[in-house]
Amino acid sequence: MSRTPPRWLAVATVAAVGLGFAGFAGPAQAGTAPVVTRAALDPALVAGRGAAVNFLEQEAENAATNGAVIGPDRTAYTLPAEASGRTAVKLQPGQHVEFTLPAAANAITVRYSIPDAPNGGGIQAPLHVTVNGGSKKTMTLTSEYAWLYNQYPFTNDPQADLLHPDWWITECSCVPAATTPTPVISKPFRPMHFYDEQRLLLGRTYQAGAKVRLTAPQGTNAAWTVIDLLDSELVGAPHVNLLASNVLLFGADPTGKRDSANAFEKAIALARLARLKVYVPPGTYQVNRHIIVDNVTIEGAGNWYTKIKGKEVALDPPAPDGSIHTGVGFYGKDAADGGSRNVHLSGFAIEGDVRERIDTDQVNGIGGAMSDSTISELHIRHTKVGLWFDGPMNNVRVTDSIIVDQIADALNFHIGVTNSLVRNNFVRNTGDDGLAMWSEKTANANNVFDRNTVQTPTLANGIAIYGGTDNTVSRNLIADPIREGSGIQVGSRFGAEPFAGKLSITDNTVVRAGTYELNWNIGLGAIWIYALEKNIDADIRVTGDHYLDSTYNAIMMVSEWSVKDLYSITNVHFKDVRVDGTGTSVLSARVKGGASFENVDARNVGAVGINNCGSFNFPPTGSEFSVTDLGGNDGGGTTGPWMAAWELPNTITCDDRPPVVVPPPPSQW
């Protein structure tokens, strides 16, 4: 979605503060036991939450290395800030990091960063992989899909001038186009989206205890190589379907040298006539445009084996929908044409070629409208959005998939998506919201985001709900949003239909969230409820959430300065919530309205428990925001109980930018 910046709050501006935070474990020495984490946390802290995946995560900072640990640091535009857990290992040529396998594995995924080319566009560089000192495999790393710069919608050019000189920016606390003399802005301006990842089949199975060494070789053209983490996995044999419409029979090329789009379409046509499935055997298939799917099942041999890969192709003239490029993707028919039904996609990878953000482009891995459909066990990377559904549509299930390295969202339910489920998906390194429901024009309703893991969105939120009716966000694990977003956002913005019915936010864990909002120059909450365009007055129930190691606030409820007396947030209820560590407050209220709290336990709170600014009118009767204490709200931090009697119901405690107190790492409650 379009992300023009919100108008900044009319308060004094100060420079952003770079924050260093403690991590779960320090660097391991050679021969020590492997440290397995989930979102850089002890897995016991997130049991039952997030996606159940086939791989085991190991952070590079916990492995043996002769390189340098970078971080922890949460300052946007830095390599450690975009790393999982905000810490990584930087290798100079000739240096290595070595992981000890915690379980048998025959495949690895490496998350890494290498420098951009001096003028943008990326470079390629080798990474040597050895196991137990055996034969060497070489991964070819690339930064061709990384390194964005400047203001939204960003550029690949590190030397570009401001894309929007008429926007207010924190770097000079000014609007450059209206400032005399014109300020000098350092270049590259706001570098971001540094990381990418690659997968490698090792060729055989290695047992637990095997040593996987990653080496940046001497002579590499990468001045440095940052390794963030290693995921190791035991991949099963390829799936085979002999009673299917096989794309090879229609001329598909598994070497990827020739375009196979026509062969796919012929296989789909036969499958529909003969009531067969379409089968895509192991191989890499070049597909450079959309494959329209309706009433068809397409299955691959598994997403490690079947790869459908495409180049981004310029369109001249542009398409009727405004796209100036096309690329690989499986699309349902447009909702205006009735949409598609009974589409089932599983067991393959989609690899795009998207290197810049153009919002009018339909260059998503999955798109269109698909009702009564299922999408499972896909691996999607290097597209604009992994799955962007334009409804109205009903009853789609997206499960057990991996969506990584996107220019924008991982998944977006856009316009009237109903009765649909997103469960057990793993998302990492998106350029916008990880998972979103956007009720533009027509409300989304009765949808569920359940047991997904969302890590390191470089912009915006882990999970965002923009309007809609009777939706649920449950049992998700969300970690490390980087800038201008939160772990979870509930937002009346982007022209969304109003919230109605009940919004249930239940049993989620959010860690190291609450980013710096550069347009307002303040810190956000791990959960952020934002009334920008309408009142938020639906029944919102936040129950059982855990907010761990929040950079600023755990909970933020806010309007915006120009509409501060127009819109309110009411009927929000927090119950059975745990807050373990905040840089500032448990609750920051910057809006009129109110919320209730019951059994909200907090510890390691860095500032006053309730930062109550209301809507900044500061009447003598107290803040325009009221806190209702329903009992059982215990704990606190540096200033005493987080919900002290003197703060209730609406004492003005407004401190716009309280000092940040770095909390200790999260631990068992």
Side-chain angles (χ1 to χ4, degrees):
M1 67 195 64
S2 176
R3 286 203 171 271
T4 54
R7 291 157 289 188
W8 55 289
L9 288 170
V11 288
T13 59
V14 296
V17 178
L19 303 174
F21 283 70
F24 166 56
Q29 299 302 312
T32 59
V35 179
V36 175
T37 56
R38 292 184 61 208
L41 285 175
D42 181 346
L45 295 176
V46 293
R49 302 181 180 201
V53 294
N54 295 325
F55 55 82
L56 296 175
E57 172 193 279
Q58 294 175 268
E59 295 283 337
E61 61 269 22
N62 298 327
T65 184
N66 60 356
V69 173
I70 58 172
D73 193 346
R74 302 191 192 182
T75 310
Y77 321 123
T78 65
L79 282 160
E82 291 193 14
S84 172
R86 314 303 182 115
T87 309
V89 169
K90 191 173 188 177
L91 306 178
Q92 303 299 325
Q95 293 182 327
H96 68 267
V97 58
E98 186 172 85
F99 300 85
T100 301
L101 289 181
N106 59 5
I108 59 171
T109 299
V110 178
R111 187 170 193 254
Y112 67 89
S113 179
I114 60 174
D116 197 3
N119 295 315
I123 64 172
Q124 293 186 350
L127 182 72
H128 291 168
V129 181
T130 58
V131 184
N132 293 335
S135 60
K136 177 180 67 184
K137 291 181 176 290
T138 300
M139 301 179 76
T140 301
L141 308 184
T142 180
S143 54
E144 295 163 311
Y145 299 96
W147 290 92
L148 298 177
Y149 305 92
N150 222 294
Q151 298 157 297
Y152 176 90
F154 318 117
T155 175
N156 301 120
D157 181 1
Q159 299 306 315
D161 293 324
L162 291 177
L163 299 183
H164 303 283
D166 56 333
W167 287 3
W168 184 89
I169 59 174
T170 56
E171 286 79 3
C172 63
S173 300
C174 71
V175 176
T179 300
T180 303
T182 303
V184 176
I185 305 301
S186 298
K187 297 177 183 177
F189 184 60
R190 297 180 181 171
M192 61 175 286
H193 203 62
F194 305 121
Y195 287 85
D196 204 338
E197 58 187 66
Q198 286 201 38
R199 307 198 293 176
L200 177 68
L201 288 168
L202 297 173
R204 53 161 286 193
T205 297
Y206 293 91
Q207 298 306 311
K211 306 291 187 181
V212 178
R213 176 172 289 198
L214 309 179
T215 302
Q218 294 284 1
T220 173
N221 62 324
W224 47 259
T225 301
V226 170
I227 304 297
D228 182 22
L229 55 79
L230 179 96
D231 295 330
S232 57
E233 181 174 350
L234 186 61
V235 178
H239 166 70
V240 177
N241 186 346
L242 299 177
L243 301 176
S245 179
N246 190 317
V247 296
L248 296 181
L249 299 177
F250 299 91
D253 177 8
T255 71
K257 295 178 181 178
R258 293 182 287 105
D259 191 295
S260 294
N262 289 341
F264 272 70
E265 291 175 339
K266 291 175 182 176
I268 289 169
L270 175 64
R272 294 184 63 183
L273 286 172
R275 297 185 179 180
L276 296 171
K277 296 179 179 179
V278 173
Y279 176 61
V280 189
T284 298
Y285 300 86
Q286 183 185 154
V287 173
N288 300 320
R289 56 182 171 83
H290 299 169
I291 302 296
I292 305 301
V293 287
D294 184 24
N295 191 30
V296 67
T297 297
I298 304 175
E299 59 185 31
N303 63 52
W304 279 89
Y305 299 110
T306 300
K307 301 176 183 178
I308 302 168
K309 187 172 184 176
K311 303 172 184 176
E312 190 173 75
V313 178
L315 297 174
D316 186 17
D321 63 9
S323 294
I324 61 174
H325 298 93
T326 190
V328 62
F330 291 83
Y331 274 64
K333 296 188 296 185
D334 288 346
D337 298 326
S340 293
R341 281 176 171 75
N342 194 32
V343 175
H344 306 283
L345 308 175
S346 66
F348 56 87
I350 301 173
E351 297 192 9
D353 187 35
V354 179
R355 310 176 189 211
E356 59 184 336
R357 178 160 178 168
I358 301 174
D359 282 336
T360 56
D361 269 357
Q362 284 285 348
V363 285
N364 308 313
I366 304 291
M370 299 180 190
S371 295
D372 302 321
S373 297
T374 61
I375 295 165
S376 65
E377 299 179 12
L378 300 189
H379 185 278
I380 308 175
R381 70 170 187 155
H382 294 164
T383 57
K384 188 180 79 172
V385 175
L387 305 98
W388 181 282
F389 296 101
D390 284 311
M393 52 180 276
N394 181 65
N395 186 30
V396 65
R397 297 171 63 92
V398 180
T399 60
D400 307 317
S401 294
I402 296 172
I403 308 104
V404 295
D405 302 327
Q406 301 295 307
I407 288 290
D409 307 13
L411 177 145
N412 197 308
F413 282 169
H414 179 225
I415 306 178
V417 179
T418 56
N419 302 305
S420 293
L421 173 69
V422 177
R423 174 175 288 158
N424 205 59
N425 301 284
F426 183 87
V427 173
R428 187 161 57 201
N429 195 38
T430 58
D432 212 307
D433 295 325
L435 305 176
M437 302 185 202
W438 182 16
S439 294
E440 188 182 34
K441 301 176 184 175
T442 304
N444 296 318
N446 301 310
N447 300 312
V448 176
F449 287 170
D450 180 59
R451 285 210 67 170
N452 304 285
T453 295
V454 181
Q455 293 183 234
T456 58
T458 61
L459 176 73
N461 310 283
I463 294 179
I465 311 297
Y466 304 120
T469 302
D470 294 329
N471 295 304
T472 297
V473 177
S474 57
R475 302 187 299 172
N476 301 284
L477 169 58
I478 305 155
D480 296 313
I482 311 303
R483 54 172 262 214
E484 298 177 70
S486 294
I488 300 172
Q489 185 187 147
V490 176
S492 171
R493 57 191 308 200
F494 303 123
E497 293 297 299
F499 288 96
K502 182 178 180 181
L503 174 60
S504 296
I505 300 173
T506 306
D507 294 337
N508 304 283
T509 292
V510 179
V511 58
R512 295 180 301 270
T515 67
Y516 167 66
E517 217 304 330
L518 62 84
N519 300 291
W520 291 341
N521 202 21
I522 59 174
L524 301 175
I527 183 171
W528 173 21
I529 304 177
Y530 183 25
L532 176 64
E533 297 173 350
K534 299 179 178 69
N535 292 329
I536 296 179
D537 53 13
D539 183 8
I540 299 177
R541 302 274 168 169
V542 182
T543 307
D545 275 13
H546 297 169
Y547 305 126
L548 310 181
D549 196 0
S550 301
T551 309
Y552 297 99
N553 314 288
I555 300 164
M556 186 175 216
M557 303 173 69
V558 63
S559 184
E560 199 272 336
W561 183 262
S562 64
V563 296
K564 66 185 181 68
D565 296 318
L566 297 179
Y567 303 127
S568 62
I569 300 173
T570 56
N571 205 18
V572 181
H573 309 279
F574 294 87
K575 183 177 180 180
D576 301 332
V577 171
R578 291 179 180 175
V579 175
D580 189 357
T582 68
T584 55
S585 301
V586 173
L587 167 66
S588 181
R590 298 163 173 269
V591 65
K592 62 182 180 180
S596 71
F597 297 82
E598 181 178 2
N599 295 329
V600 176
D601 295 337
R603 64 187 184 190
N604 302 313
V605 177
V608 63
I610 301 172
N611 180 32
N612 195 338
C613 297
S615 51
F616 290 91
N617 293 305
F618 306 130
T621 53
S623 168
E624 302 93 337
F625 187 92
S626 294
V627 175
T628 301
D629 180 3
L630 297 181
N633 299 299
D634 300 322
T638 59
T639 65
W642 85 265
M643 184 180 281
W646 66 270
E647 296 174 301
L648 303 175
N650 64 335
T651 304
I652 296 171
T653 57
C654 188
D655 186 348
D656 216 38
R657 294 176 185 84
V660 171
V661 177
V662 178
S667 61
Q668 288 286 0
W669 201 262

